Amino acid sequence: KQKTAYEMGLGKTLQVIAFLLSSFEEGEEKRSLIISPASLVYNWENEIHRFAPALPVRVLAGTAEERTEILKNGVPGEILVTSYETMRRDQELYKGEDFFCEVIDEAQYIKNAGTKGARAVKSVSAQMKLALTGTPVENRLSELWSIFDYLMPGFLYSYEHFKKNFEMPIMKNEDAAARNRLRKMTAPFLLRSSKSQV
């Protein structure tokens, strides 16, 4: 029996690859950037080669000089893949770069908004941003705020406003009205799938 992409653990990955391939085939010339945990960087490269061989893809790896060369001398429409740690070290290199799409995989890596890694990811200039995660909230609602701060800065207000009007009422007082308001605000931007749907 052939396995589905979902059963292979590739659901979100394939959706992104299909979207990037479609954009490339429609003539998108700007490059896109995928940031993932280091253990998944080469998985992304392999899956792009496997499912969308027409898409040019390169991993930002090697020495600082080699990474700079890759970043500064790109091919139109190519996909660059890097890790959160490398992105944090290379943050200055991205100034002046403008991407079509920035994708963060395992987006819970930026759940703490104040970290250097989260700030580095959020500093990238991109026309569109996507966040992939199976667990948008692991412990605190501030994690959801941080992911939305990457996707659409200001949409969930400042963190102080969010904490006062959503996080504290929901977490401390189990405020159903605040929970429903937050759900209504975020639901249109959350694409979720279950095994039964797939």
Side-chain angles (χ1 to χ4, degrees), residues 181-195:
R181 278 198 322 275
L182 181 60
R183 186 178 290 124
K184 281 182 182 175
M185 287 180 74
T186 58
F189 305 102
L190 299 175
L191 177 63
R192 303 183 77 179
S193 64
S194 65
K195 192 171 182 178

Side-chain angles (χ1 to χ4, degrees), residues 71-157:
L71 191 57
K72 298 301 177 191
N73 297 292
V75 175
E78 80 177 331
I79 313 301
L80 298 176
V81 188
T82 192
S83 70
Y84 285 99
E85 183 61 32
T86 303
M87 165 65 205
R88 187 173 62 76
R89 286 199 312 266
D90 291 347
Q91 181 179 355
E92 289 299 311
L93 297 179
Y94 289 85
K95 287 187 174 170
E97 297 293 324
D98 187 35
F99 294 94
F100 165 60
C101 185
E102 179 187 15
V103 180
I104 58 171
D105 191 12
E106 301 295 343
Q108 64 272 19
Y109 268 68
I110 66 159
K111 66 184 181 182
N112 297 321
T115 63
K116 286 181 181 177
R119 289 197 303 268
V121 165
K122 292 174 184 184
S123 72
V124 172
S125 173
Q127 190 176 320
M128 169 185 281
K129 295 188 175 190
L130 298 174
L132 312 181
T133 179
T135 51
V137 178
E138 291 181 317
N139 298 304
R140 300 188 318 271
L141 277 180
S142 59
E143 298 167 10
L144 182 68
W145 181 88
S146 184
I147 292 171
F148 268 87
D149 185 51
Y150 155 75
L151 291 169
M152 299 180 293
F155 179 74
L156 290 181
Y157 313 104

Side-chain angles (χ1 to χ4, degrees), residues 5-20 34 40 44 47 103-108 130-136 191-194 198:
Y6 192 91
E7 291 167 323
M8 293 163 63
L10 293 171
K12 295 185 291 292
T13 304
L14 278 185
Q15 285 178 312
V16 168
I17 292 172
F19 166 69
L20 294 174
I34 297 171
L40 298 176
W44 273 98
E47 300 307 341
V103 180
I104 58 171
D105 191 12
E106 301 295 343
Q108 64 272 19
L130 298 174
L132 312 181
T133 179
T135 51
L191 177 63
R192 303 183 77 179
S193 64
S194 65
V198 176

Side-chain angles (χ1 to χ4, degrees), residues 32-57:
S32 290
L33 178 67
I34 297 171
I35 305 169
S36 76
S39 61
L40 298 176
V41 166
Y42 289 99
N43 286 15
W44 273 98
E45 182 188 36
N46 293 337
E47 300 307 341
I48 291 170
H49 282 312
R50 179 178 174 191
F51 294 108
L55 264 180
V57 59

